[in-house]
């Protein structure tokens, strides 16, 4: 006879085993079929529990926590369509290699394919995006089944972390009654003792070894660097912890004489570093927007660290120069969309950089003539950008990013939404050596899904004062993110750049297609959203900024208190396109007659 507490005890074994394996956070959305696991988690007190109504927001909130900590976070939902709402977060986790455990409650086998309510096939729901799919089947009292459940919990946590971090999907079937049951029969007491005994068995220690780089590949890159006369180091998107690589990148720059372009999402732009100004090339994206510079810019060796840079100007350069000798160092995947890299070293990045430093001359190499010239042009470009910002009487998008970057306290977290904000940061925000500012973004598939929710998760998990800069369309797309933001206990400011639509499309070739306003609106999606009312729905403090001074004041206010603050930064609808044109013209004028990089 089946013990009356089988489901409750089975759920207890699963939850405690997940906690023993290293799980610390469980984000729960409401539902009935998930009741046994939720009840077990609440009773265990081993996990931090977070209640989020909308599964899509919940998925990104958990994803943000995992991105901030590097440790897996879990989401749990009921059966049926609820699980489908996790898909965007699962896709981002897979592409950005973020550890995420997705637990979906399900109905028993006998209720499938017969018209039962809230039932669908959840088998391999996330397809190839899940690193592993595990269907736990129906609860079982056999000791072998109990031990296997504990082992599978440990496997699932391990698989979120490697060999390639990402999402793991666990499907948990449950038959009514779903509510917790206190076992009183002899069989129920025996089952409780059996599970207590299983839980006393330690889980095996399981760690994924770091991937050491092949020495031959390291030697190849070192030879290229030693012989280069015009090298450059380019750092693309990386996980938040990559700021610890700053000293290693600086050491290689000093050993080679190569200047470093570190975009904001690389974690190195605002990290603690001893990189001298002569080797800092933080205006490269701006410079590459000038045709004459891009034509003259001819490095003979490029060392790319991390994922492909966000910069569209860099992407165009690489596409135009298939013969450019480019060597890539990254932790996983094949980060070379141009299909023209000379070599790829896929390994633990810290280990690879250490090995490369050992293979290079121990004495420091003075900045190459190429680097010295680039440093001069770098200063000229930033001076031109400053002039453009100073000439704008109204609050501009570039000025908003500059104000935010300067307002962040040491050790803060800067969140960057996709489309324009992440690009604005590289065009308008100079490097801040020593600021120890981490950058949160969702550049795995670069969507606007769940940006507010994800940043809220990162802010809450990191405990850092956080400012997210997001576009108005992204904010509208993730309105539920403000409900999640209420969970954040650290200062968390959501700055929405309200330019009345998705203005990145005005900077794409589409803008030259001669579309009328009605047709163009299908891309720019202009809106009449009342952001003050939206903030009011979730009882979030709100302010509107139309000038840089007002924005600075709003940031000071928001950073002075815990919890979420919503700041609407009103900027001209077509301001980004016009400002980028002015920046390009100003930089080109500043470089005119000053010579090009040799």
């Amino acid at each position: 006879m089946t013990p009356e507490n089988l489901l409750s005890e089975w759920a207890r074994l699963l939850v405690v085993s997940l906690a023993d394996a290293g799980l610390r956070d469980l984000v729960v959305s409401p539902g009935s079929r998930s009741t046994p696991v939720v009840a077990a988690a609440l009773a265990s007190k081993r996990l931090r529990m977070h209640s989020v109504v909308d599964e899509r927001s919940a998925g990104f909130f958990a994803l943000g926590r995992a991105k901030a900590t590097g440790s897996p976070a879990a989401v749990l939902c009921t059966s049926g369509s609820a699980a489908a709402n996790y898909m965007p977060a699962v896709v981002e986790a897979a592409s950005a290699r973020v550890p995420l455990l997705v637990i979906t409650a399900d109905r028993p086998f006998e209720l499938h394919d017969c018209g039962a309510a809230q039932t669908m096939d959840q088998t391999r729901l996330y397809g190839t995006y899940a690193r592993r799919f595990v269907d736990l089947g129906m609860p079982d009292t056999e000791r072998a089944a109990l031990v296997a459940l504990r082992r599978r919990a440990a496997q699932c946590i391990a698989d979120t972390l490697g060999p390639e971090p990402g999402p793991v999907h666990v499907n948990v079937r449950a038959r009514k009654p779903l509510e917790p049951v206190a076992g009183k029969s002899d069989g129920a007491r025996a089952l409780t003792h059996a599970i207590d005994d299983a839980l006393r068995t330690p889980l095996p220690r399981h760690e994924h070894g770091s991937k050491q780089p092949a020495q031959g590949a390291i030697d190849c890159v070192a030879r290229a660097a030693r012989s280069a006369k015009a090298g450059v180091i380019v750092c693309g998107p990386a996980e938040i912890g990559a700021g610890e690589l700053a000293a290693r990148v600086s050491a290689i720059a000093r050993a080679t004489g190569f200047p470093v372009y570190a975009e904001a999402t690389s974690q190195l732009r605002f990290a603690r570093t001893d990189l001298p100004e002569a080797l800092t090339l933080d205006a490269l994206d701006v410079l590459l927007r000038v045709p004459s510079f891009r034509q003259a810019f001819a490095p003979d060796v490029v060392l790319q660290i991390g994922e492909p840079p966000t910069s569209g100007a860099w992407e165009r350069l690489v596409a135009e120069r298939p013969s450019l000798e480019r060597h890539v160092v990254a932790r996983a995947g094949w980060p070379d969309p141009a299909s023209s890299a000379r070599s790829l070293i896929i390994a633990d990045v810290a280990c690879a950089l250490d090995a490369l430093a050992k293979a290079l001359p121990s004495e420091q190499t003075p900045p190459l003539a190429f680097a010295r010239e680039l440093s001069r042009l770098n200063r000229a470009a930033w001076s031109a950008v400053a002039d453009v910002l100073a000439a704008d009487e109204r609050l501009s998008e570039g000025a908003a990013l500059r104000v935010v970057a300067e307002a962040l306290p040491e050790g803060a977290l800067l969140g960057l939404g996709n489309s324009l904000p992440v690009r604005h940061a590289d065009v308008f925000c100079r490097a801040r050596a020593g600021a120890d500012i981490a950058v949160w973004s969702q550049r795995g598939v670069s969507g606007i899904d769940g940006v507010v929710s994800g940043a809220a998760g990162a802010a809450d998990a990191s405990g850092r004062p956080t400012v997210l800069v997001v576009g108005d369309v992204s904010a509208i797309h993730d309105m539920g993110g403000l409900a999640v933001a209420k969970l954040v206990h650290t200062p968390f400011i959501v700055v929405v750049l309200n330019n009345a639509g998705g203005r990145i499309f005005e900077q794409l070739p589409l803008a030259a297609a001669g579309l009328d306003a009605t047709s163009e609106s299908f891309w720019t999606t202009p809106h009449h959203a009342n952001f003050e009312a939206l903030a009011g729905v979730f009882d979030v403090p709100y302010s509107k900024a139309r000038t840089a001074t007002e924005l600075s004041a709003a940031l000071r206010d928001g950073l002075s208190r815990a919890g979420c603050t919503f700041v609407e930064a009103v900027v001209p609808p077509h301001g980004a396109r016009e400002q980028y044109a002015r920046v390009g013209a100003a930089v080109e004028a500043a470089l005119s007659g000053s010579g090009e990089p040799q």
Side-chain angles (χ1 to χ4, degrees):
M1 183 176 177
T2 301
E4 65 271 23
N5 63 343
L6 174 57
L7 186 53
S8 296
E9 288 296 306
W10 181 263
R12 177 169 73 96
L13 177 58
L14 173 63
V15 167
V16 175
S17 297
L18 289 172
D20 287 347
L23 186 67
R24 294 293 175 265
D25 286 278
L26 179 62
V27 182
V28 178
S29 294
S32 175
R33 194 61 52 166
S34 53
T35 293
V37 180
V38 175
L42 289 170
S44 76
K45 302 187 186 304
R46 294 282 303 279
L47 303 176
R48 288 184 291 261
M49 304 285 286
H50 314 272
S51 178
V52 178
V53 172
D54 179 2
E55 286 84 6
R56 188 176 72 171
S57 289
F60 281 102
F61 183 73
L63 182 73
R65 300 190 70 86
K67 284 178 74 74
T69 63
S71 299
V75 287
L76 169 64
C77 70
T78 190
S79 63
S81 61
N85 289 284
Y86 288 147
M87 186 64 168
V90 169
V91 170
E92 177 67 19
S95 300
R97 302 178 183 89
V98 179
L100 181 69
L101 184 67
V102 179
I103 306 173
T104 56
D106 200 355
R107 297 199 162 204
F109 292 108
E110 66 266 21
L111 292 182
H112 279 261
D113 301 319
C114 60
Q118 206 171 324
T119 305
M120 69 179 200
D121 185 2
Q122 297 175 190
T123 305
R124 301 189 184 280
L125 177 62
Y126 308 113
T128 58
Y129 293 105
R131 300 286 189 259
R132 174 191 286 269
F133 168 72
V134 175
D135 192 322
L136 296 179
M138 298 305 300
D140 194 326
T141 60
E142 291 294 323
R143 176 168 173 77
L146 302 180
V147 172
L149 177 62
R150 184 160 166 78
R151 181 257 303 165
R152 300 204 87 172
Q155 280 181 300
C156 288
I157 294 298
D159 286 341
T160 66
L161 293 167
E164 186 171 348
V168 169
H169 177 199
V170 180
N171 201 47
V172 182
R173 298 180 185 273
R175 183 181 288 124
K176 290 182 177 182
L178 304 171
E179 294 69 33
V181 173
K184 297 181 179 179
S185 67
D186 290 343
R189 287 192 292 269
L191 176 61
T192 297
H193 290 313
I195 287 180
D196 287 341
D197 181 61
L199 287 173
R200 282 191 288 270
T201 304
L203 291 173
R205 183 181 179 87
H206 184 280
E207 293 185 8
H208 297 283
S210 61
K211 292 188 291 185
Q212 295 292 330
Q215 191 59 46
I218 292 293
D219 291 340
C220 173
V221 176
R223 284 194 299 270
R226 285 195 297 267
S227 62
K229 301 299 182 186
V232 66
I233 299 171
V234 176
C235 305
E239 65 275 14
I240 286 177
E244 298 175 357
L245 300 176
R248 292 178 169 90
V249 173
S250 178
I252 291 173
R254 290 173 180 273
T256 59
F258 291 5
V260 178
Y261 169 64
E263 70 172 39
T265 59
S266 71
Q267 310 302 331
L268 303 177
R269 198 177 186 92
F270 312 116
R272 287 197 176 97
T273 179
D274 60 352
L275 189 70
E277 183 183 359
L279 293 176
T280 300
L281 188 56
D282 51 351
L284 182 60
D285 181 69
V286 179
L287 290 166
L288 286 173
R289 294 167 183 268
V290 177
S292 60
F293 176 89
R294 191 167 72 247
Q295 184 176 5
F297 180 67
D300 49 18
V301 171
V302 172
L303 175 61
Q304 175 188 314
I305 299 174
E307 297 299 309
T310 302
S311 170
W314 177 260
E315 181 183 19
R316 289 190 294 274
L317 176 77
V318 172
E320 293 166 0
R321 310 274 183 84
S323 61
L324 181 63
E325 183 173 346
R326 194 162 43 86
H327 301 273
V328 179
V329 178
R331 62 172 176 152
W334 192 282
D336 178 32
S339 304
S340 60
R342 192 69 55 87
S343 71
L344 291 96
I345 300 176
I346 306 303
D348 180 272
V349 176
C351 292
L353 296 181
D354 286 343
L356 180 56
K358 290 179 181 178
L360 291 169
S362 56
E363 66 277 6
Q364 294 185 7
T365 300
L368 303 176
F370 176 76
R372 292 195 299 271
E373 176 65 6
L374 285 176
S375 180
R376 185 175 66 83
L377 298 177
N378 195 69
R379 291 192 299 272
W382 280 122
S383 178
V385 171
D387 290 343
V388 170
L389 290 175
D392 279 323
E393 296 181 359
R394 296 177 297 177
L395 180 64
S396 65
E397 297 189 35
L401 264 293
R402 178 72 70 93
V403 169
V404 167
E406 292 176 349
L408 289 169
E410 184 174 337
L413 183 65
L414 170 62
L416 294 173
N418 286 322
S419 294
L420 286 177
V422 69
R423 291 168 171 83
H424 291 336
D426 290 324
V427 173
F428 297 103
C429 300
R430 297 206 66 171
R432 277 182 62 186
D436 191 29
I437 292 172
V439 176
W440 173 90
S441 65
Q442 290 183 170
R443 296 301 295 171
V445 285
S446 306
I448 64 171
D449 315 60
V451 173
V452 178
S453 301
D460 194 51
S462 69
R464 296 173 180 244
T466 302
V467 179
L468 167 68
V469 183
V470 66
D472 46 3
V473 174
S474 294
I476 293 169
H477 196 274
D478 190 24
M479 287 188 291
L482 281 182
V484 181
K486 292 283 289 182
L487 302 176
V488 179
H489 301 293
T490 194
F492 175 49
I493 305 174
V494 179
V495 177
V496 175
L497 299 179
N498 186 357
N499 55 16
R503 299 301 171 179
I504 191 172
F505 295 103
E506 295 180 339
Q507 300 187 33
L508 300 179
L510 174 71
L515 300 175
D516 59 41
T518 300
S519 299
E520 188 180 77
S521 68
F522 281 90
W523 285 270
T524 58
T525 55
H527 62 85
H528 301 284
N530 185 332
F531 287 112
E532 182 175 10
L534 174 61
V537 167
F538 298 103
D539 195 26
V540 171
Y542 164 91
S543 63
K544 180 179 289 188
R546 296 183 183 275
T547 67
T549 301
E550 291 176 349
L551 179 57
S552 294
L555 292 170
R556 284 195 302 272
D557 182 52
L559 289 169
S560 69
R561 63 169 178 266
C564 182
T565 300
F566 191 105
V567 179
E568 179 183 0
V570 181
V571 294
H574 308 291
R577 178 181 61 188
E578 296 165 357
Q579 190 171 49
Y580 273 62
R582 291 196 300 273
V583 165
V587 173
E588 187 167 23
L591 303 187
S592 178
S594 65
E596 302 294 347
Q598 301 297 314

